[in-house]
Amino acid sequence: MPDARRHAEVLSGHAKVLSGAEGATDTRDLFSRTSTHLRRLVPFDSAVWAATDPETGLITAPMLVENLGAGESCADYWESELLEENVLPFRDLARAAVPAAGLRAATGDLPARSARFRRLLGSQGVDDELRAVLRVGDRPWAVVSLFRMRGGLPFGPAETTLLAGLSGPLASRVRRFARPSAFGGATDAPAPGLVLFDPSGEPTSINEEARQYLSQLPEGPSIPSQLGLRLPIWVVATALQARAIARGRDRAGGARVRIRTVDGRWLTCHASCLSGPAGQPGPVALVIEPAAAAERAVLIAEAYGLTPRELEITQLVTRGLPTTEIASTLFISPHTVRDHLKAVFGKAEVNTRGELVARLFAEHYRPV
């Protein structure tokens, strides 16, 4: 097929998928609409779509699992992703020139080179996996895996190109849904929640505060536990990342993820691997608590696409500093400050400093 015709078909495919995603009301709805329209162009049997924390790349809410039962194998899938040697790990795709790739194409039609295929996918009847990171710049906002069962053809170059081209546009939409909601501010919060996992990854104890936080998370894949509740896969993956860091497998970003509750507030979930006797691996301590103001500020800046300098200026605006003092503090000219503020106003869709503060940093409360 001539290059010009192939390029035109890819652009047409992008337009069809993105048009079908218009009108999505939240990230999960975006995943569902996109998956429906993408399947018509890139046939697949099952899929997993998951939002990610843009700083650490760890999965967070929401997640959409299609035609894979109730997601019983999700924990095993992410354990393999984080703790085993695999082909095409998401952390590598997030930095790759092309953010999408097929497993068979990447392994020279030898998918068993990947631990993920040997331990999980092959026994589940999967023949090929096409995965992608949805990113804006170097920030990952979501990941997707498309699966074809045995009897189907491997994913081809044109299908990979089409999915890769959707990475930026879909990530931009996910990023918009991360912006503050009308009821996304602080409430009377309990003390930090704590969950302990033994060295093998089994949850062993939990405090009441953690139970409260977990009850506020959206529905999604989860695993049963001996604690009398199911643990969301986003929490389990954070504990797995702590184990990966302790083993020296990964250190980028740390074992930390922000998770949005059903009422629009942001929680931070972070974990670390403790040491046992004689330096042996100990339990993993996982803490869940409201996202601190600094964490929310960075996340909000990412959601609106603010640059680091624009975020600095915006934070000084929230402190009430006039243009001249901001310029003096940052060692730039007042004219440069005004130019940055104009860009910030455009991104946040406001016209005044007061509107900017209210849009980005004001605390909102749900009416009683």
Side-chain angles (χ1 to χ4, degrees), residues 171-322:
S172 295
R173 286 163 167 77
V174 174
R175 183 175 69 177
R176 285 203 296 271
F177 286 127
R179 295 175 181 179
S181 64
F183 304 111
T187 61
D188 291 335
L194 177 65
V195 185
L196 292 180
F197 297 77
D198 68 21
S200 69
E202 180 69 26
T204 57
S205 58
I206 184 172
N207 66 2
E208 186 57 34
E209 288 80 5
R211 292 181 185 273
Q212 291 185 48
Y213 287 124
L214 292 175
S215 71
Q216 299 164 11
L217 299 184
E219 293 184 3
S222 60
I223 64 166
S225 73
Q226 299 177 0
L227 303 177
L229 79 168
R230 298 182 68 89
L231 291 177
I233 192 63
W234 318 295
V235 172
V236 175
T238 307
L240 288 170
Q241 176 71 348
R243 292 170 61 195
I245 291 173
R247 296 181 185 184
R249 291 191 52 80
D250 193 5
R251 294 194 177 275
R256 190 184 82 259
V257 66
R258 276 77 58 97
I259 308 173
R260 204 165 196 174
T261 64
V262 292
D263 61 357
R265 293 179 296 114
W266 285 99
L267 301 177
T268 297
C269 180
H270 50 98
S272 60
C273 191
L274 308 181
S275 296
Q280 294 299 310
V284 171
L286 182 140
V287 176
I288 309 174
E289 58 190 344
E295 291 239 29
R296 293 198 307 272
V298 172
L299 186 61
I300 290 168
E302 292 281 359
Y304 281 95
L306 303 187
T307 66
R309 176 64 88 186
E310 290 168 352
L311 175 60
E312 281 184 305
I313 291 173
T314 302
Q315 290 174 317
L316 293 175
V317 167
T318 66
R319 290 167 48 188
L321 272 64

Side-chain angles (χ1 to χ4, degrees), residues 31 35-36 38-39 42-49 64-71 73-74 77 120-121 124-131 144-150 155 163:
F31 289 161
S35 195
T36 296
L38 182 62
R39 184 181 276 110
V42 181
F44 54 87
D45 297 298
S46 54
V48 175
W49 299 76
L64 175 66
V65 179
E66 297 183 310
N67 300 327
L68 288 171
S73 299
C74 271
Y77 183 87
L120 297 171
L121 302 185
Q124 294 171 351
V126 173
D127 191 67
D128 198 11
E129 176 186 9
L130 176 60
R131 50 170 40 193
V144 56
S145 287
L146 309 178
F147 302 99
R148 280 182 180 162
M149 310 308 282
R150 290 202 177 95
F155 290 101
L163 183 59

